[in-house]
Structure formats: C-alpha cells, structure tokens
Amino acid sequence: MAIKKSDLYSSLWASCDELRGGMDASQYKDYVLFMLFIKYISDKYADSDDFAPPVVIPKGASFKDMIALKGKADIGDKINTQIIQPLIDANARLARSDFPDFNDPNKLGTGDEMVQRLSNLVMIFQKDELDFSQNRAEHDDILGDAYEYLMRHFATESGKSKGQFYTPSEVSRVIAKVIGISPENTKANTTAYDPTCGSGSLLLKVAAEAGNKITLEGQEKDVTTAGLARMNMILHDFPTANIQSGNTLASPKFKDGEQLRTYDYVVANPPFSDKAWSTGLTPSADPYQRFAWGEPPAKQGDYAYLLHIIRSMKSSGKAACILPHGVLFRGGAEGVLRKQLVSSGILKGIIGLPANLFYGTGIPACILVLDKENASARKGVMMIDASKGFIKDGNKNRLREQDLHRIVDSFHKLDDMPGYARMVPRSEIDSDKNDYNLNLPRYIDASEAEDIQDLSAHLNGGIPDRDLFGAGSTLAPYWQVMPTLRATLFAPLANDKRQGYSQLQQPVAEVKAAILGHAEFSAFQATVKQLFADWQARNEPRMKGFKLGEHPKAFIEVLSEDLLATFKPAPLIDAYSVYQHLMDYWAEAMQDDAYAIAQDGWVAKPARIIETDKKGKKKDKGWACDLVPKAFIVARYFAKQQVALDEAQAQLDAGSSAINELEEEHSGEDAVFGGFDKVNAAAVRDRIKEIGADPDGAAELKVLKAWLKLSNDEAGLKKTVKELDAQLDQLAHDQYAKLSITEIQLLVVNDKWLARMASDLYGELDRVSQTLTRRIRELAERYAAPLPALAEEVNALSAKVVEHLKGMGVTCR
C-alpha cells in the first residue's frame, strides 16, 4: 500500500508527543528528525547492492539494531555508541555535532523514564506505514515533504527566537522561481549556494526547480542546524551536497584560492538586522573586497550579507535574498550602499511580502532579486507589492498557491498591474523626489479606493452614475461583459433635471433574480462552463492515463498550469482563484489519491479500520477505501437502494419527532407523562394496566396508546433502516471486487475529481452574481431615502405624536 502523506505526517507528529513534555521544540526536533533520518537511510541503503551507496550503514548500526535496544537499561548510551558513532565513522560528511545526545538525562529523564521514552520513540517509527524502502526521490519524495512538515511545526512551536532554522517553503519556492533556474538552463556543474543555509530548505527548493542534479553548497553558523541541513540533503536525495559550519561573514568556507568562490545561483535568508555581523571581521581590511561600495552600519548587518552575496555571484550569476523592508529606505551608510546597488544595475527586482510570514519575526520582509547578466544595460527595477496576498494559518500568515503564482507571473512578465506591480525606470528612482529611496509605496499605490458618499444623492435621491458606470467603479467590468443587463437594472432618474444619476428599475429584493434570469448572465455562465469543458476534454485523458511509477508533482503541475491558462481569458472570473481551488483540493485529498496510484496503480480495495486504544485493545470500526470511498460506489451502482434507505430513515426521523412532540405536549406536573421517571415502553404499558377500564382515565389512555403505537412503529423502522443499511453496505463492499480499471478510473476521475472541480467552479460563478448583487443593493439602500423624504417622514410622525398627546389632554408647545 502507498504511504498517505496525511497519515505519515500524523504518525510523525505523534512521535513528538513522546518528547514534548520534557524539552522545548527547538531541542526535541533534533531527536525526532534523527529518528526519521535513521529510519529512512536504513530502509533505503541498509541492504544496498550499490558499489558506493550515498550513505554507508555499518553492520549493527541500522534502525533494526535500534529496535533490539528497546527496553534495555542502557538504550541511550547504546544508540550513541553503536548506532550514531559508527555512522559518523563510515560517512565523512556526517559529524558528531549533527546528532543529539541520546543519553542526556537533562532532556530525556533518568532511569526507567529515559528507557520508556526512547523505546516508545523507536516503536512509533516501527509502524508499517513508515516503510520508506519504496520511496522515490527526484523532488517527488514523500520523506522530504515530511521533513519540511516537521520543520514547519517545530518552527511554529519554537517561538520568535528559535524559528531561524526554517524558511517557509512557499517563500523558498518564490525565490527559486524568480531567479529563473529551470531544467533547460542547468546541468550537473551548475552551482547554487546559500551563505546562511539554515536547515537547507531554500537550497533544496532551488534544486527542485532546476529539475537536475546540480551542485549545492551552503554554510550555517549554528552547528546543530548545519547537521539538520546535512540530513535534509540526504533525505531529499542530495547526499553529495556540501554543508559547512561556521560564520560566513567572518570565516567563509567556500573559496577558490584566497578569493570567494562564485556561483551561478545564490539564495539566502540571513538573520534580519544582525547587530553582531562584524564580530571577527575588520570590514575596512576585508580580504575578499566585499565592502568596496562602503561599510554597512555597525548595528545593521543586512547589507553585509547582501554584499557577500553579490561578491559570490558569477559575472552572469543570479541571486535572491530575503531582507527586512528597512533596507529599502534607511538612510546613512545604507543609503550610500543602496545608491551603489541601484546604479550598478545588479538589482533586478523587489518583491514586498506580507507581514508575519516568518517564524523568527512578525515584521514584513522583501525579496531583493539580483542579476549580474546585462546589469549595465538594465534601465529599471521590477517592483511588486504582494503584501495583501496571503491566508491566516494559526498565528502566522502564509502565501497561498495563487499568491505564489501571481508573484512569479508578474515578475517574469514585467507587466504593470495597478496597485500590485510596476517596472519602475531608473530615472524615477534616482530623481530628486525619490533619491534612491526604494520604499514600495512611493512607486505602487496599493491602498483601497475610497467609497465616496454623494451629498447630492443623499439630499435629492438617485444613485450616482459614477458609482454605477464610472471607469474606476467596481461595477464597470460587469457592464463590459453584460451591457444590456445594465439597461435592465437601471434607468435615468425620472422627473429630475440633474445629469449623472440613475434609479433601480425593480425592488432591491428582486435584483439577484433579475441578474440570474438575464440572457447575458446566462451567456456569461455558458462561456465559463465551456472553458471548463474544454479543459476537461484535454485533461481527462491525462488523468486516466496517470499510471504506476509516475510523479504526482509533475502530474498536478500540468493540470493546474493548463487550468490557470484556460481561465485567464475568462471574464469576471479570477483565474488564480480557480487555480487555488484545484490546489486546495490537491492538498486535501487528490494528492493522496495520486501517490496511491503512482505506487499501487488503479487499485481500489476496501480495508478494515482497526482502532487500538491506550490499553492495546483493538476494535473493528468497519471498512473504507480511500481511493474510491463508499459514497461514490453507492451513487453509481446502488442509487435505488440508497433512495429506499433514505426514505426509511426519513420515516424513522418523522416518527421520532412525533414521539418527542407528544411527550412535550403532555409533559408538566399534572400532564400524562408528568409522573414518569423515564418515558419508555415498559413504563407506558404499566400505566395502561393501572388505568384499566377506569372511565376517568379515557383521555390519558388515548395519549398513552398513541405513544405506544408510535414507539412500536419507531422500533420497526429502526430495524428496517438497520437491515437496509447493512444490505447496502455489503453490496457496496462486494462491488469493489467486480470493478475493472476503467470503472475505477471513471469513479475517481469523473465522479470524484472532476465533480469536485466543477462544484468549485460553480461556486465562483455564484460569487460573481453575489458580488454584483451586493454592491447594487449597497448603493440602492444608501440613497434610498433622500433628505426631503426623511423630513416628510419626520413631520408625519411628529404630527401623529401631537395628535396622541392632544387625546391625552397634553399640549405640545
């Protein structure tokens, strides 16, 4: 069976619970990630026949040998000496500082506490679903993604001071894409470098975008985090990546002779505004000539890292660096350096990111994109203000797939997009007005347009044509697509000499019906639906042609890119929102389906759901099939049986409601059921016997017999529902064995995937009508009661009050 990403993630996170109580996330992550590492390399390389496997696992130092240590009093010491140390001795790229101390009583407890904790940790990684022997790499490996998942959660839990070891993967992907690396322009000797590599996620995203086995090098100041990076490289099938420990600014490790090594691509997320950047360094006598443009401020290290990156780029090199917004506008020494940066032509673009994306800080950051190729001929800087494109994710913000795609598309097209993106000419940046200040709001106005109140309309009525039909109004795009709908909804204000005001042709409550019923709106819907039908016609064969051994990430990229391109010409629909729906569904369910098909083929078999409680007792909770859930089998093959079950259930629900109503009607102190401790069949029968033939109890007897009949009917219906449900469950279960591959593909692709996508698209169509209706209603209600009408209403109400007071003998002066 394929490893489901969601199951894998939850299993790994459960392992963290074994350690969470005793230490901070920044500490226990080292243990969990080592366990993931040792399990992976054991499954992958322990029995390798390769002449030179990427990782050598000495005899006695595999995960299986760790299992043998469970429950032993010296388990911690044995993991250190019999597992970790032999691994280090056999692999030159691994160091003792890469791994945690498994015999540390301060973190793991003493005696039995340590033994139990470590034994439980090993046991979690023994689970059948954590078998990585069939795991594929080539940027499509589940393990690498699981590692990223854990790192993200560790960074979240570690708080502000300890999240530096992880750059959010969405930001890493933006950087990898904007530097322009791709399979077409890379080969084995293509080089990529990160001078502050953390856990290596940024470098790996660059490698994934390259699509080839390029050369990766990185340096990281924190020795433990450097160890994480080395493990991360191996888990992502880049075992030859060179990760060095040390302070990049004071002691760079990657040199050619006495000069800094230069690279095709450089990426970095250095520590923001590092106050100790010059420790161990004399900038004025820097042997690598990094500060020829000037020295950064002593307490602001942002430009120190930027200058190191520029010095590390080849003459045609590309780079991208995450820095705080202050680098765009701070004065003094940074102002001098900024002028040099712009004048050099190396600065290709600036991307302003949303606030609160990063784990180490809540401040907004930006990406500076650098390119030495043709720098002297560069006439401007591409600026993007992407600060508003994000989704809340817990206590952090996160870029969505659509936000990422919109940024990258805008950057590569170099097109102006009002309020979002601009190619700003150098002459504007170096003008007297701006003086090399790169603060984005100077060049891009991303503020919301003000909704102006019209005093004349408030005084005299009518809706301003400016708000309805003006070029800058939110409604203008609708009339371009549906010009006659505008005439159906609005007409010039009757009996009024003023120009530029209109009135609604129908009551506000009927606006949506008028929109939905209009021929132009129907034509708009048909156009959008046809675009989807065209996309489906192209991609349904691709979906059904997805087969064993293919790469899910490449699969979804083809589908999603075609979907985005298909809907970009669509009127009134945001193509990026349609794209986001597909990517959300991919994360929710479709990727698990694709990974299952890639590993097992088009196989749909029901499996028993066995739950184990804390005491180890197992309970059968029925069956399920993830690829083709029962509901899809029932809908396609057993619709009649489902209707019969639904009808019986509806009758049962109605009968139960009737019993509740009867009990409520006759509850209370002196009512029929007032004296019952509990209303059930036995108690009701006993009371019927007590009443017997007493004529005074006739009314009560009637109610009791009615309750008893309803109760008997309910019992019969419960039995019927149970039998019908069991029959349907068995029919559905048995149907799986009869399914052909073609039928499975029909159920998965048409009934499951495409039906969900169509539903999401119809939701977007509904949003168009809702947005249009909401704005029309807002304007109509805003100006519905002009001042004279309000004055008349006040006068009429005042006259009524005076009349009432007169009737009460009171005079109002």
Side-chain angles (χ1 to χ4, degrees):
M1 287 294 289
I3 301 175
K4 276 182 68 180
K5 279 196 172 187
S6 50
D7 286 349
L8 171 60
Y9 294 169
S10 60
S11 294
L12 293 176
W13 199 236
S15 68
C16 303
D17 288 330
E18 287 299 324
L19 301 167
R20 189 173 283 115
M23 63 191 97
D24 181 84
S26 62
Q27 297 175 318
Y28 73 72
K29 75 176 190 300
D30 301 334
Y31 293 93
V32 175
L33 291 171
F34 171 75
M35 294 299 297
L36 178 63
F37 175 74
I38 187 69
K39 181 66 167 72
Y40 175 74
I41 61 172
S42 295
D43 287 351
K44 194 83 174 169
Y45 304 119
D47 300 317
S48 175
D49 296 326
D50 292 353
F51 175 71
V55 182
V56 176
I57 302 175
K59 189 172 183 179
S62 74
F63 182 75
K64 287 179 182 176
D65 300 299
M66 286 184 78
I67 294 173
L69 299 175
K70 282 193 308 181
K72 295 192 174 180
D74 57 352
I75 179 174
D77 178 62
K78 286 289 195 290
I79 291 175
N80 282 345
T81 57
Q82 294 183 7
I83 308 293
I84 294 177
Q85 193 57 50
L87 272 175
I88 294 164
D89 295 340
N91 296 276
R93 289 183 184 274
L94 300 178
R96 185 65 190 88
S97 59
D98 294 353
F99 306 116
D101 179 1
F102 275 80
N103 201 33
D104 186 342
N106 294 321
K107 293 179 181 176
L108 298 167
T110 57
D112 289 344
E113 184 185 3
M114 178 188 286
V115 172
Q116 186 174 351
R117 181 169 275 165
L118 291 178
S119 298
N120 288 345
L121 193 59
V122 173
M123 195 183 306
I124 287 168
F125 282 85
Q126 270 184 270
K127 288 182 178 180
D128 292 339
E129 60 262 38
L130 300 188
D131 177 8
F132 305 126
S133 56
Q134 301 303 312
N135 182 247
R136 296 177 317 284
E138 297 178 49
H139 316 302
D140 209 11
D141 65 330
I142 292 177
L143 245 294
D145 291 340
Y147 184 93
E148 296 283 325
Y149 166 86
L150 283 173
M151 291 299 288
R152 185 170 70 249
H153 280 278
F154 289 136
T156 302
E157 288 213 346
S158 294
K160 283 196 171 184
S161 62
K162 296 165 185 167
Q164 303 95 323
F165 52 78
Y166 180 70
T167 302
S169 63
E170 297 82 11
V171 179
S172 298
R173 285 168 58 205
V174 168
I175 286 177
K177 288 176 182 292
V178 297
I179 59 175
I181 195 168
S182 69
E184 290 73 38
N185 60 20
T186 54
K187 47 194 174 184
N189 64 355
T190 299
T191 55
Y193 166 61
D194 185 342
T196 57
C197 71
S199 59
S201 59
L202 236 177
L203 269 178
L204 286 166
K205 288 296 185 292
V206 170
E209 202 63 30
N212 293 310
K213 289 290 183 183
I214 63 173
T215 301
L216 302 180
E217 295 186 335
Q219 187 165 340
E220 168 54 38
K221 190 174 183 179
D222 184 272
V223 291
T224 305
T225 306
L228 292 180
R230 279 187 276 272
M231 285 193 283
N232 200 5
M233 295 295 153
I234 292 169
L235 291 174
H236 279 83
D237 206 35
F238 273 89
T240 59
N242 191 356
I243 306 296
Q244 296 288 328
S245 302
N247 184 329
T248 291
L249 295 181
S251 179
K253 296 295 175 71
F254 295 99
K255 295 182 287 187
D256 290 325
E258 291 306 309
Q259 295 300 312
L260 290 182
R261 185 172 299 168
T262 56
Y263 298 86
D264 297 302
Y265 299 95
V266 184
V267 292
N269 179 13
F272 287 1
S273 303
D274 185 357
K275 290 180 171 53
W277 70 270
S278 60
T279 302
L281 172 69
T282 305
S284 59
D286 179 43
Y288 311 108
Q289 298 89 43
R290 288 172 291 187
F291 308 111
W293 286 353
E295 291 183 27
K299 299 296 184 183
Q300 297 279 8
D302 300 311
Y303 272 92
Y305 290 100
L306 189 66
L307 292 169
H308 176 88
I309 289 167
I310 292 171
R311 194 74 177 141
S312 301
M313 296 165 67
K314 288 183 178 179
S315 59
S316 60
K318 328 288 184 197
C321 180
I322 302 166
L323 291 170
H325 268 289
V327 300
L328 302 179
F329 54 79
R330 290 191 298 243
E334 290 190 326
V336 173
L337 290 167
R338 190 165 52 248
K339 180 177 180 179
Q340 293 280 358
L341 176 64
V342 174
S343 301
S344 71
I346 293 173
L347 180 62
K348 183 178 182 180
I350 302 168
I351 300 165
L353 298 171
N356 202 27
L357 281 185
F358 297 91
Y359 297 98
T361 178
I363 65 171
C366 60
I367 299 171
L368 296 194
V369 186
L370 311 172
D371 188 351
K372 282 190 177 179
E373 191 171 13
N374 300 321
S376 59
R378 190 160 288 124
K379 302 297 184 188
V381 177
M382 185 64 192
M383 297 189 185
I384 297 174
D385 184 348
S387 58
K388 294 181 179 177
F390 63 89
I391 190 172
K392 290 290 293 179
D393 186 6
N395 61 353
K396 304 301 291 181
N397 295 331
R398 178 170 54 83
L399 294 178
R400 298 164 294 182
E401 291 292 332
Q402 63 170 313
D403 303 318
L404 187 159
H405 215 304
R406 201 185 300 266
I407 291 169
V408 174
D409 286 353
S410 298
F411 188 85
H412 287 314
K413 288 178 182 174
L414 305 179
D415 289 341
D416 287 0
M417 189 182 299
Y420 186 76
R422 254 191 88 201
M423 170 54 79
V424 181
R426 177 98 62 83
S427 57
E428 187 175 344
I429 295 170
D430 64 17
S431 66
D432 291 341
K433 175 187 173 185
N434 292 314
D435 192 25
Y436 296 96
N437 187 316
L438 296 174
N439 200 19
L440 292 175
R442 283 177 174 258
Y443 307 96
I444 300 172
D445 182 5
S447 59
E448 297 277 339
E450 190 179 356
D451 194 5
I452 300 170
Q453 301 282 335
D454 190 295
L455 292 178
S456 179
H458 277 301
L459 290 170
N460 303 300
I463 305 172
D465 288 351
R466 179 192 65 242
D467 290 334
L468 294 174
F469 319 124
S473 77
T474 56
L475 296 177
Y478 294 91
W479 314 136
Q480 291 173 8
V481 178
M482 299 172 275
T484 63
L485 174 60
R486 162 182 164 172
T488 301
L489 294 172
F490 301 102
L493 195 61
N495 304 318
D496 196 297
K497 295 179 181 178
R498 292 177 304 149
Q499 297 292 315
Y501 294 87
S502 296
Q503 62 187 4
L504 198 56
Q505 297 271 63
Q506 52 273 307
V508 171
E510 296 174 15
V511 168
K512 186 165 187 179
I515 293 169
L516 294 176
H518 198 276
E520 285 181 339
F521 189 79
S522 298
F524 154 70
Q525 288 184 310
T527 298
V528 174
K529 289 177 181 177
Q530 185 58 49
L531 288 173
F532 182 73
D534 294 341
W535 177 84
Q536 179 173 333
R538 287 193 303 274
N539 288 282
E540 187 177 331
R542 286 177 184 164
M543 294 180 186
K544 291 178 178 175
F546 185 70
K547 58 186 183 291
L548 198 73
E550 286 199 40
H551 295 306
K553 287 182 181 176
F555 170 65
I556 189 59
E557 185 173 0
V558 171
L559 298 183
S560 60
E561 291 301 318
D562 191 16
L563 186 71
L564 182 62
T566 298
F567 278 91
K568 277 192 173 175
L572 303 179
I573 292 279
D574 180 8
Y576 289 99
S577 293
V578 177
Y579 168 83
Q580 185 66 43
H581 282 302
L582 174 56
M583 299 313 292
D584 286 343
Y585 182 49
W586 173 257
E588 175 190 322
M590 196 175 167
Q591 79 170 337
D592 278 341
D593 292 345
Y595 274 94
I597 296 164
Q599 185 159 319
D600 301 327
W602 291 90
V603 176
K605 292 180 180 178
R608 304 308 302 181
I609 304 169
I610 308 297
E611 287 188 0
T612 306
D613 61 21
K614 291 182 179 179
K615 296 180 179 178
K617 189 176 180 182
K618 295 185 176 182
K619 189 174 182 181
D620 191 327
K621 304 288 285 185
W623 60 271
C625 177
D626 291 324
L627 186 62
V628 184
K630 174 183 170 182
F632 294 98
I633 293 284
V634 170
R636 183 163 281 277
Y637 298 103
F638 305 110
K640 287 182 180 178
Q641 290 87 338
Q642 184 66 59
V643 168
L645 175 59
D646 291 343
E647 288 175 351
Q649 184 65 54
Q651 291 175 349
L652 175 58
D653 293 341
S656 299
S657 296
I659 291 173
N660 290 335
E661 288 171 12
L662 190 66
E663 289 177 7
E664 286 178 12
E665 185 183 347
H666 296 280
S667 293
E669 201 170 319
D670 299 320
V672 173
F673 299 111
F676 283 72
D677 291 331
K678 187 176 181 182
V679 182
N680 56 34
V684 170
R685 288 194 187 97
D686 288 344
R687 180 58 185 154
I688 289 172
K689 283 181 183 177
E690 287 177 19
I691 296 171
D694 184 353
D696 293 336
E700 183 182 355
L701 199 62
K702 184 179 179 182
V703 172
L704 292 170
K705 287 182 176 180
W707 185 96
L708 202 57
K709 182 180 184 308
L710 286 171
S711 178
N712 290 334
D713 291 345
E714 181 187 44
L717 285 166
K718 281 182 178 177
K719 184 180 178 184
T720 300
V721 166
K722 188 175 181 180
E723 289 172 352
L724 289 173
D725 187 44
Q727 290 168 10
L728 181 57
D729 188 70
Q730 192 63 48
L731 285 169
H733 181 275
D734 295 346
Q735 185 66 28
Y736 285 93
K738 303 172 187 176
L739 295 175
S740 65
I741 289 178
T742 302
E743 286 175 308
I744 294 171
Q745 290 171 337
L746 187 68
L747 286 159
V748 174
V749 174
N750 296 82
D751 296 1
K752 189 178 182 184
W753 294 352
L754 289 170
R756 166 62 182 266
M757 292 178 211
S759 174
D760 288 338
L761 178 64
Y762 296 153
E764 286 298 315
L765 287 172
D766 193 41
R767 192 169 290 111
V768 171
S769 64
Q770 287 176 353
T771 305
L772 177 57
T773 303
R774 191 183 307 118
R775 180 58 175 164
I776 292 172
R777 179 183 291 129
E778 181 182 34
L779 291 170
E781 290 175 348
R782 178 183 295 172
Y783 301 113
L787 188 60
L790 290 173
E792 283 182 21
E793 187 178 352
V794 170
N795 289 336
L797 290 172
S798 296
K800 279 187 179 181
V801 171
V802 169
E803 288 302 315
H804 283 307
L805 290 172
K806 279 183 183 178
M808 295 165 64
V810 179
T811 303
C812 181
R813 295 184 182 277

